[in-house]
Amino acid sequence: MPALKIDQLMIRKGMREHIEETGRVFEKFGLTPMQGRIMAYIANSDRPEATFSELVDFFRASKSSISTSLNYLMSVKMIDYKTRASERRKYFFITDGFFRIYFMQLLDNIQELKELCYKTVSMRSAEYPEVSEKILKWIEGANIFEESIQNVLNNIKRL
Amino acid sequence: MPALKIDQLMIRKGMREHIEETGRVFEKFGLTPMQGRIMAYIANSDRPEATFSELVDFFRASKSSISTSLNYLMSVKMIDYKTRASERRKYFFITDGFFRIYFMQLLDNIQELKELCYKTVSMRSAEYPEVSEKILKWIEGANIFEESIQNVLNNIKRL
DNA sequence: TTTTTAGTTCAAAATTTAATGAACTTAACA
DNA sequence: TGTTAAGTTCATTAAATTTTGAACTAAAAA
């Protein structure tokens, strides 16, 4: 197992725990445990890229789990890969867009909830205006947030 | 079952679907299906408050599911309740703080991820600075978002 | 004082979600 | 040309999460 030996060189003591811990925090941002682990691994391994089999070996996980996780992370552009001429394997690396991607997804969710809230307010009878007022406060919060985030996203884009 | 009859008066046609749909969007903000449904129900039912048994009846759900959901929503202050003298039951209502609460939780998560990212950068060898640069961009993004959210929270607070 | 109402608690069942294993494809290599 | 390496796909399994049911408490009502 030469791959394992290389890992042992590249992954220092305490690293495995740090990777697990970081992975669990990525979960709070909507990733599955394996997706979170992969993000944490690539960020922490010395080399800037990780290969498929390196991940399989390091996590002792199934190829399918690694494969589907990598593909999800690529689909949302949290990772990408490079190739080397006449080699089939891919070298996966993290992008710098993690928060941009997360907040764009959040913006979509806020938009969706806001629309349903508008519908709710429009459906409510006039009898108890205090409920509509609260929902309008939700919407107002959502609007301020949307605007603010939109602003930040524009700033980050030109970082 | 007089409660059901009242519901039929208070919950108009199309409402049940609208509540289910809204509940599913609340799930995207980290609530369980039942927690989301309850939020949606209270927001949509004509009366500003809902009772425990009203929820059990409307969703044909178990008392325990309603109980634990209500207690979670109260623990994070997405709902609250009032009482009436010489009555035991509670009248649950939504607060206006949904987004404030959500954003505050998000702020905690960002803070936590940022700290682990700092640790990651500090642990990395100097050999491949491009990875640290990307992680520092995550952190930079996190900082900008934090600031922005903080701003939003201040605005929301004084609404 | 007994019954009913309004919940709570927690072990077990049901559901959902994530991970696995096995069979497959295709590119590089010997 | 055959073998190995690098993945993919998908049905099944395993694990985590949510919901239920049953047994309970304690306040109000009869």
Side-chain angles (χ1 to χ4, degrees):
Chain A
M1 271 175 215
L4 251 178
K5 265 180 202 154
I6 292 168
D7 285 346
Q8 281 159 1
L9 284 173
M10 306 310 267
I11 299 294
R12 273 176 294 281
K13 187 166 153 290
M15 194 61 104
R16 208 171 265 279
E17 294 69 34
H18 176 59
I19 288 172
E20 282 301 305
E21 192 185 354
T22 308
R24 287 197 306 277
V25 180
F26 276 117
E27 284 184 56
K28 297 187 183 176
F29 289 87
L31 301 186
T32 65
M34 189 53 81
Q35 289 161 5
R37 278 184 196 111
I38 290 174
M39 289 296 290
Y41 178 89
I42 304 180
N44 282 283
S45 128
D46 260 5
R47 280 164 291 155
E49 295 110 19
T51 64
F52 185 92
S53 58
E54 183 182 342
L55 293 164
V56 169
D57 290 346
F58 184 77
F59 293 117
R60 290 170 188 73
S62 65
K63 291 196 293 174
S64 42
S65 169
I66 300 297
S67 176
T68 51
S69 297
L70 286 172
N71 284 319
Y72 172 79
L73 293 172
M74 284 195 289
S75 77
V76 297
K77 299 193 165 47
M78 290 185 181
I79 63 172
D80 200 351
Y81 67 88
K82 34 178 75 132
T83 50
R84 293 180 195 174
S86 84
E87 257 196 88
R88 188 142 70 108
R89 79 181 130 176
K90 293 163 181 172
Y91 291 84
F92 298 96
F93 58 88
I94 54 172
T95 68
D96 56 16
F98 178 76
F99 280 104
R100 181 174 61 243
I101 293 157
Y102 177 77
F103 277 96
M104 284 176 70
Q105 289 171 353
L106 179 54
L107 224 46
D108 287 348
N109 294 342
I110 289 175
Q111 180 62 26
E112 203 179 346
L113 186 53
K114 226 179 67 178
E115 267 157 31
L116 288 167
C117 285
Y118 276 127
K119 190 174 171 191
T120 293
V121 170
S122 78
M123 283 167 100
R124 293 190 59 79
S125 82
E127 204 182 341
Y128 300 101
E130 68 264 41
V131 181
S132 291
E133 274 158 32
K134 279 176 196 162
I135 297 170
L136 288 170
K137 280 202 181 179
W138 291 357
I139 293 174
E140 198 161 354
N143 282 333
I144 297 174
F145 185 77
E146 276 186 330
E147 211 177 302
S148 177
I149 288 305
Q150 205 60 67
N151 221 52
V152 171
L153 287 174
N154 293 339
N155 279 334
I156 283 187
K157 212 161 281 167
R158 63 163 191 272
L159 263 170
Chain B
M1 271 176 219
L4 252 179
K5 265 179 202 153
I6 292 168
D7 285 345
Q8 280 158 4
L9 284 173
M10 306 309 267
I11 300 292
R12 274 176 293 280
K13 186 167 154 292
M15 194 61 104
R16 208 171 265 279
E17 293 70 35
H18 176 59
I19 287 171
E20 281 300 306
E21 192 185 354
T22 307
R24 284 198 308 276
V25 180
F26 276 116
E27 285 184 53
K28 297 186 183 177
F29 288 86
L31 302 186
T32 65
M34 189 53 81
Q35 289 161 4
R37 279 184 195 110
I38 290 174
M39 290 296 290
Y41 178 88
I42 304 180
N44 281 284
S45 128
D46 260 5
R47 279 164 293 156
E49 296 110 19
T51 64
F52 186 93
S53 58
E54 183 182 342
L55 292 164
V56 168
D57 290 347
F58 183 78
F59 292 117
R60 291 168 188 73
S62 65
K63 291 196 292 172
S64 43
S65 170
I66 300 298
S67 174
T68 51
S69 297
L70 287 172
N71 284 320
Y72 172 80
L73 293 171
M74 284 195 289
S75 77
V76 297
K77 299 192 163 48
M78 290 185 182
I79 64 171
D80 200 352
Y81 67 89
K82 31 178 79 132
T83 50
R84 292 179 196 173
S86 84
E87 255 195 272
R88 189 145 67 111
R89 78 181 131 178
K90 294 163 179 172
Y91 291 84
F92 298 96
F93 58 88
I94 53 173
T95 68
D96 56 16
F98 179 75
F99 279 106
R100 182 172 59 243
I101 293 156
Y102 179 77
F103 294 144
M104 283 176 70
Q105 289 171 354
L106 180 54
L107 225 45
D108 287 348
N109 295 341
I110 290 175
Q111 181 61 28
E112 202 180 346
L113 186 53
K114 227 178 64 178
E115 268 157 31
L116 288 168
C117 286
Y118 276 126
K119 190 174 170 193
T120 293
V121 170
S122 78
M123 285 168 98
R124 294 190 58 78
S125 82
E127 203 181 342
Y128 300 101
E130 68 263 42
V131 181
S132 292
E133 275 157 33
K134 279 177 196 160
I135 298 170
L136 288 170
K137 279 203 181 178
W138 290 358
I139 294 175
E140 196 164 356
N143 283 332
I144 297 173
F145 280 116
E146 273 187 332
E147 212 177 305
S148 173
I149 292 171
Q150 206 59 69
N151 223 53
V152 171
L153 288 175
N154 292 338
N155 278 330
I156 287 180
K157 210 161 282 166
R158 63 162 192 272
L159 264 171

